Every structure is written in structure tokens, then in C-alpha cells.
Amino acid sequence: MENKKIPITILNGYLGAGKTTLLNHLLNNQVGLKIAVIVNDLSEVNIDAKLIEQGTSVEHIKEEMVELSNGCICCSLRSDLLVGITRLVDSKKYDYIIIESSGVTEPIPVAQTIIMGQTEDGRDLSQLCYIDSMLTVVDALRMKTEFNLGQALEEHGHEHEEHHHDHHHDDEEEKPIAGLLVEQLEFCNIVLLNKTDLVSKEELAIIKSYIKKIQPEATLIETKFGKVPFDQILNTHSFNLKTVANSAGWIQELDGHDHEEAHDHASEYGISSFVYRRKRPFDIKKLGLFYDYLPRSIVRTKGVIWLDINHDYAFMISQAGESMKFEEFGLWLGSRSEEDIQAYLKNSEKLRKNWDEYHDRQTELVIIGIHMDQKEVETMLDNALMTKEELETSWNEYLKIKNAK
């Protein structure tokens, strides 16, 4: 086989979405493609016994590697992903590599390994292979139930109900998967919407509208039993890191991009979104109560927020269904050196325009909902902010401490 870069498809999807069925379909291909598949657990992949290469020893299977008569191979990832990919590429036996990322891992680290990784002998992995596509398999029925999308078909009168959301789950099996599912959707360029036969035609239209709200740029392919033409998912040359990294719906919303067709379909089913922007920090306790009693009409919130507990650092908040993630995002520009501040202000008209006595500190939170009353949600969030008097006191104390250093 000639010395050329090997294309890689990274396959994401939660447990039960249909990744294994799709992998079997790809491994059993009779189109002459020699595919190497790296899976998490070989026992999960039900390979057709007739395809297992004659002479493949029991030891090979024990070593968690099965060679097939059509030239494909299925192996389990027992060590470092980078090492596994390098060995497959260096063997010069395969045309294509598919990596099944674990159902409970985020897709970005896997992509980073391929784009920025180095082999043990110092070669850039990006010189040996490239990401051809980042594919996320979604179970249509699970999507509908996890995000309560069935409510889009309900009577409008139920839309303002509030439900207590317990974001603390002790049982691993009971943890909501919505957050991970959304992350896998937000960082992909192909969505395979599987098990479409398990939902009604109207439910399917709502699910597709919601996916497009979360990920407006990706190619959406509908399928049953994971069967899809190979040319739609292999050798597509469709992955671009910069494009995919900025393709999530919440990022596009913040940037003011409007996908008119997707917006029309979404609004038809009552799916809407808006950006909540304020130049006052949240009271962390009041914000906690907002999320504890989140209106059931809200299915997704994500953004950078200003909190009363720390005027130096911005925080990232990410909620999907009942999944919740909250983490430090980084220093506000206003807390950096004067040199940094002037350099950024010089190069950004947007920053200059929004700069005030609190510098760049503000909240920008994207809210996606179904039959959502925007004014009501804005009022609820406004009630979770510090009052002007509280902010003035807090800010003066902050400046006093900062100037004393």
C-alpha cells in the first residue's frame, strides 16, 4: 500500500444509540475497503463468524484483535490511543481507520490526539493520518425522551409548568445523559439520526428541528438499524477543525448568525432561542434556585456568566435537560495587565463598545426552549441578579482589596 495519509472517522454516540450496529455494517463491507476499527470492548461487537479470517487463533481473540477475511480488522483499545493508531498506520495494511469513542467520553480529546499528537519516535500524527469526519450517532427515541421533546406536541397550556431539577445523582446508571449527548452533537460534522422508525413522523420533525438548533452546520442523515451508504460517512473529506469548533448552535447564536431555514422549522414546533445579556453579576444562591426550579420549557442553556463570588474570573455554565456543568472559564480581561487590556481593546471594536466601569464583565447566556415565554424567563433571570446596591457595595470592596495588594 502506498505511503499516504490514512483517513479517520471518529464515531461518537451514547450507549444504545446504534454505534455497534453501524460498526458491524462497516466491518462487513464488501466494497474492497480495508477498515481498521478501534473499539472499547471487542465483546460488544458481534462480528459475523463467517468473516473471521481462517487461521485467526484463539490467542488473537484473547488479545482482543479479530482479523476478517475481507481485509478488515477489529481491535480493542487497551493502551494509548496514539500508540494504537500509529501501529495501524505503520502496518500499511489499511485504507481507513474508525475510532469508536466511549459512550461516556467527550469527542474533543480524541480529535486533539490525532491533530496534535506525536508518535513515540517523534513524528507528528497529523503527517500520518487525518480526521475525515466526526460522526455522532443519535437514538431518535432517546433524544425525544431525554429532552422532553414530546412536549412540543402537547397543549400550549402546560408550557409554563416548573419542575424541581435535582442535578445531584448518586447512582451512575441514573445520571442524565443530555449534557454529554449535546456535547457530542455540538462537536461533529455528521449526525446519524438512528432508530427513526421508533418515533412518529411529527416527532421526528421536532427531533430534527432540535438537533439543527443545537448543531446547525452538520449533515443530518436519517437511518434505521444503522444502515447508511458508505459514501455518505466514509472518505467525505468533510471535517474542518475550525469550522466544527465554531459550529455549535450556542456559539452561532452569540455571534448573531441566523440560520433562516432551520429557524423557520424550529419555530413551527415552538422551538426558540435567545441570548440573555446583562452587565450585572448573578447572586450564586439565587441562580442556583433558578436552575433547581427550571421551567420545563427550557431544554438548553450555555454561556459565560459573571458571578458575585468572584469578580476576577468568568464562569462557564452548561445545562441540557437535567444535566448540569459549571466551571471556571478564565480571567476577565479587566483583571489582566494594563498592557493586555490595551492590546485587546485596540483590536476589538466590540470590546471597546461594551467597556464600562466594570470593564468586560458581563453575562452572555444562550437559552433554548420549547413553547418558551422569553419575557418570563428574562424576568426570572433578572430576579437572580445582584441588585445595583449590592453590586456597588461588592465592587467597592473588591477594588479596595485589589488596590491594597
Side-chain angles (χ1 to χ4, degrees):
M1 189 174 287
E2 61 179 289
N3 193 16
K4 60 174 183 176
K5 284 191 190 182
I6 304 297
I8 294 179
T9 286
I10 299 169
L11 185 61
N12 302 297
Y14 202 74
L15 304 167
K19 287 185 299 178
T20 304
T21 309
L22 175 63
L23 283 174
N24 283 326
H25 178 49
L26 293 167
L27 279 168
N28 294 346
N29 86 83
Q30 299 299 318
V31 295
L33 263 184
K34 292 184 172 67
I35 299 174
V37 175
I38 299 174
V39 296
N40 284 283
D41 185 354
L42 197 62
S43 65
E44 294 290 318
V45 185
N46 183 25
I47 299 164
D48 188 338
K50 290 179 290 208
L51 272 173
I52 296 179
E53 181 69 69
Q54 285 185 352
T56 297
S57 64
V58 175
E59 282 70 32
H60 262 118
I61 295 173
K62 278 182 181 171
E63 284 172 15
E64 305 196 339
M65 182 175 72
V66 177
E67 293 182 56
L68 310 183
S69 58
N70 61 358
C72 294
I73 188 171
C74 190
C75 49
S76 179
L77 182 64
R78 292 185 303 165
S79 59
D80 187 80
L81 176 63
L82 204 148
V83 174
I85 295 169
T86 306
R87 283 177 185 162
L88 290 170
V89 172
D90 285 345
S91 74
K92 294 185 169 52
K93 288 182 181 178
Y94 308 105
D95 307 306
Y96 210 98
I97 296 173
I98 296 173
I99 300 168
E100 177 212 21
S101 73
S102 158
V104 291
T105 55
E106 297 170 22
I108 295 174
V110 182
Q112 285 173 331
T113 297
I114 296 162
I115 293 163
M116 299 187 292
Q118 273 199 331
T119 64
E120 288 174 326
D121 57 3
R123 291 172 293 167
D124 289 338
L125 199 60
S126 59
Q127 297 303 307
L128 305 176
C129 54
Y130 66 93
I131 301 174
D132 179 77
S133 58
M134 181 70 71
L135 192 154
T136 294
V137 184
V138 177
D139 174 343
L141 183 61
R142 186 78 186 256
M143 192 87 190
K144 175 195 150 190
T145 54
E146 194 68 32
F147 292 97
N148 200 19
L149 297 180
Q151 68 171 291
L153 296 172
E154 294 174 8
E155 290 296 318
H156 196 271
H158 295 296
E159 73 192 55
H160 300 310
E161 288 180 25
E162 294 176 7
H163 288 248
H164 179 66
H165 287 248
D166 181 7
H167 297 294
H168 307 284
H169 294 260
D170 295 322
D171 185 353
E172 194 68 32
E173 290 299 310
E174 290 302 310
K175 276 188 179 177
I177 62 144
L180 185 65
L181 213 161
V182 163
E183 283 174 359
Q184 291 176 344
L185 278 172
E186 285 177 340
F187 193 79
C188 76
N189 68 298
I190 299 175
V191 177
L192 199 65
L193 184 55
N194 196 27
K195 306 186 184 182
T196 54
D197 52 317
L198 300 182
V199 294
S200 70
K201 198 173 177 181
E202 193 168 12
E203 285 170 340
L204 181 61
I206 292 162
I207 293 162
K208 283 164 64 180
S209 293
Y210 182 63
I211 289 171
K212 279 294 177 188
K213 201 74 176 164
I214 295 292
Q215 174 46 275
E217 301 286 349
T219 302
L220 181 58
I221 302 167
E222 296 171 46
T223 183
K224 301 169 192 170
F225 309 108
K227 289 188 177 173
V228 60
F230 295 134
D231 61 358
Q232 289 189 25
I233 56 174
L234 302 180
N235 286 315
T236 63
H237 304 283
S238 59
F239 180 84
N240 177 284
L241 179 63
K242 190 177 178 182
T243 303
V244 172
N246 291 291
S247 65
W250 75 276
I251 295 173
Q252 304 243 332
E253 190 94 21
L254 284 179
D255 290 343
H257 296 165
D258 186 23
H259 294 265
E260 206 168 301
E261 189 183 342
H263 176 76
D264 289 346
H265 284 300
S267 57
E268 185 184 339
Y269 298 106
I271 300 171
S272 62
S273 58
F274 70 95
V275 182
Y276 177 83
R277 285 188 176 93
R278 295 294 185 272
K279 292 283 285 179
R280 241 191 299 155
F282 281 116
D283 176 313
I284 193 166
K285 288 179 182 173
K286 290 177 185 175
L287 186 64
L289 282 171
F290 169 79
Y291 276 104
D292 276 345
Y293 294 93
L294 199 67
R296 75 195 284 253
S297 59
I298 295 175
V299 291
R300 173 71 167 145
T301 64
K302 184 161 185 177
V304 177
I305 62 172
W306 179 14
L307 279 179
D308 62 342
I309 56 168
N310 194 327
H311 292 313
D312 280 325
Y313 282 87
F315 291 85
M316 170 75 79
I317 197 161
S318 178
Q319 166 271 328
E322 291 197 9
S323 296
M324 183 83 172
K325 197 155 88 173
F326 174 78
E327 59 193 352
E328 209 173 79
F329 187 64
L331 276 175
W332 292 111
L333 179 59
S335 292
R336 294 172 71 164
S337 70
E338 189 59 32
E339 190 182 347
D340 281 352
I341 290 172
Q342 292 311 318
Y344 276 95
L345 285 174
K346 185 181 175 184
N347 294 315
S348 173
E349 189 186 339
K350 186 184 173 187
L351 261 179
R352 290 196 300 272
K353 191 177 166 187
N354 290 322
W355 200 261
D356 63 8
E357 62 180 309
Y358 304 117
H359 308 142
D360 59 323
R361 295 169 181 84
Q362 67 171 341
T363 285
E364 287 189 302
L365 190 60
V366 176
I367 318 278
I368 300 174
I370 300 172
H371 296 314
M372 173 176 64
D373 184 328
Q374 181 176 332
K375 281 192 168 60
E376 183 184 50
V377 175
E378 284 181 332
T379 301
M380 290 174 74
L381 285 166
D382 284 345
N383 289 336
L385 296 171
M386 293 182 88
T387 65
K388 287 179 181 176
E389 293 75 20
E390 286 170 340
L391 173 55
E392 192 178 342
T393 303
S394 174
W395 186 250
N396 287 334
E397 284 174 5
Y398 164 73
L399 290 179
K400 201 172 166 183
I401 294 166
K402 193 174 181 182
N403 293 332
K405 286 180 180 177

